[in-house]
Structure formats: structure tokens, C-alpha cells
Amino acid sequence: YGPKPDTSAIVTLRFITEGDYPPFNYFDEGGQLIGFNADIARAVCRELDVTCEITVTTWDTMPAALKNGEADAAIASISINAKSLADLDFTDAYYDTPARFAVKLGAQIESVTPEGLYGKTVAVVEGTAHEAYLRDFFEGVEVKPYKTPQDARAALIAGEAEMLFADVVSLMFWVNGQASGSCCQLLPGGYNESRYFGQGVGIAVAKENQALKEILNYGIAKVRASPRYEEIFLRYFPSNFY
């Protein structure tokens, strides 16, 4: 991550986020803003040795707040993709949300490859990047599109499909939650090709704020290289994303 950039002009880093998106950002019973995003912001401030201020707002107001200088950066699980890059600039990713396969407990899957999954039926939400990815790279599988994530999950439970393909965050909490009835497990490995799933999740800044972007990149790199990152991650997620 190289030498620390000059942060002498920064007294307080003013972050904005959203307040009802657990486990990424939400209020605990005592009214304290917590969550993965909030803790990462505080860890970045600690690495940069600056004061951290986090204000709750709504996603739709964030681009204007950054452009108008009402806030310095937004840390709100905003994916880096063509749509978001039209209005904002981003730091390097501080986490990725790869796609993964889920199967029923006890399913015999020898190889999570196009060849190894040949002939398998895979539930997916229709019209998503996950469906497009399956059709482009797993031509030998039988893709079964469903209208909602709930429908796709129900298909796996009922045996209408042998596998389910979706983003790791939703799958992880479903598999480990009550709604799954302890039916299923995630297969190892993940798929995060940027053409389908974006470039990960970064901290958003105004397009002209290159200096702050470089400062935040240094802070993110320091956090990710430290034990603190895994500690924060495992505080909010049951296992590694891959």
C-alpha cells in the first residue's frame, strides 16, 4: 500500500450511509449505528488517524450530498458498476459479493465446474446477472429461472432444482437462518467476474475528489492487510464469502 498520503488537511472524515440495511449498517437496541460498513469506516479513520463522523441518510440522496460537499464519502454497500460510475467515483473494493452455488445437504458434487455440473438443474432468479452468467459459462446445466429469490430457494428445498445460484450474502444468511430449515449448504468457491457482477463494493466519493480517493485507498489497504478486517467480517457474517 506504499507510504501514507498527506492527511494534514483532513480533520474529520464525513461519511454517509443508510441506517436500515443489516448487517451492513443498522441501529442496535441502544440506538448506536453499527454494522460492517460502519465498522470498516471507523477502522479506516483509525488507520488514517483522523476523526470519523458517520451520518445516516438515504441512498438516493448520496450522489448529490457528495457532489455538493455535504459529505466526503459514502460507505453504503454501493457496487462499483457502470451505473454507479456514471455519478460517482470509487475507491478500491473493500469487499466483494461473489456468486455461489447452494445444494441440499448430502448432495454429491465432485467438481464445481461446467463439466462437473453437466446435466444438473439450477434454480436462479430470472433476468439477473446470475442467470446470464450461468447461460454463458455453464451451458451444460439446465437453468430454471424463478421470479423471486424466495421461489428459487423453495425450488431447491422441494427438489425441483438440484442447485441454487445466487449472491453469497443472501445465500449465506438463508442457509444459516431459520427459513432454510437447515436444508442446504454452500459449495466452495465463488464467481465474481466484473462484467456480470461488478467490480466489488467500494467507498463512493465525488468524481473530482481524486486526492481523497487515494487517501481512502491507503486506509482500506491497511485495514484489509490487518487482523482487524477479519475480526470485523466475522462479527457480522457466519463465514468467509469464498
Side-chain angles (χ1 to χ4, degrees):
Y1 36 74
K4 181 180 178 180
D6 181 11
T7 60
S8 59
I10 300 175
V11 177
T12 300
L13 258 177
R14 300 170 301 156
F15 284 98
I16 49 178
T17 192
E18 204 273 343
D20 188 21
Y21 188 51
F24 293 100
N25 21 264
Y26 61 103
F27 290 97
D28 66 13
E29 294 178 354
Q32 172 81 12
L33 180 67
I34 61 172
F36 181 74
N37 288 331
D39 284 6
I40 290 293
R42 292 175 181 125
V44 167
C45 288
R46 189 177 296 112
E47 293 292 348
L48 297 174
D49 196 23
V50 299
T51 302
C52 200
E53 177 183 290
I54 309 175
T55 303
V56 170
T57 184
T58 58
W59 275 297
D60 60 330
T61 64
M62 290 181 189
L66 296 176
K67 184 176 181 180
N68 298 336
E70 298 166 21
D72 299 314
I75 185 161
S77 294
I78 306 171
S79 295
I80 308 169
N81 53 42
K83 183 178 179 181
S84 60
L85 284 167
D87 296 319
L88 302 166
D89 201 358
F90 288 87
T91 63
D92 297 336
Y94 62 97
Y95 76 92
D96 300 292
T97 53
R100 285 180 67 174
F101 288 98
V103 297
K104 297 279 282 285
L105 291 174
Q108 300 298 313
I109 306 293
E110 294 183 4
S111 173
V112 190
T113 62
E115 297 77 20
L117 301 186
Y118 187 88
K120 299 291 186 185
T121 55
V122 183
V124 70
V125 178
E126 65 182 6
T128 60
H130 299 92
E131 181 185 7
Y133 186 82
L134 280 179
R135 294 192 185 281
D136 288 348
F137 290 97
F138 287 82
E139 296 180 359
V141 308
E142 180 185 346
V143 179
K144 302 192 74 172
Y146 293 86
K147 290 189 178 298
T148 69
Q150 293 76 15
D151 291 342
R153 296 166 189 165
L156 178 61
I157 293 174
E160 296 175 14
E162 297 168 273
M163 310 180 75
L164 170 61
F165 190 61
D167 75 276
V168 67
V169 176
S170 64
L171 281 180
M172 180 181 291
F173 283 101
W174 175 68
V175 164
N176 288 280
Q178 294 182 353
S180 69
S182 301
C183 69
C184 304
Q185 65 183 11
L186 296 183
L187 293 180
Y191 306 85
N192 60 359
E193 280 76 3
S194 60
R195 184 158 62 96
Y196 295 84
F197 308 121
Q199 301 170 46
V201 174
I203 299 175
V205 299
K207 278 192 170 292
E208 65 275 10
N209 208 342
Q210 181 66 26
L212 178 59
K213 176 180 170 180
E214 292 175 0
I215 288 170
L216 290 170
N217 275 339
Y218 174 86
I220 291 169
K222 288 277 286 184
V223 171
R224 294 201 70 159
S226 74
R228 178 82 175 145
Y229 185 82
E230 184 176 10
E231 176 191 328
I232 294 171
F233 191 95
L234 293 178
R235 184 179 302 161
Y236 297 104
F237 302 102
S239 63
N240 190 284
F241 281 181
Y242 290 88

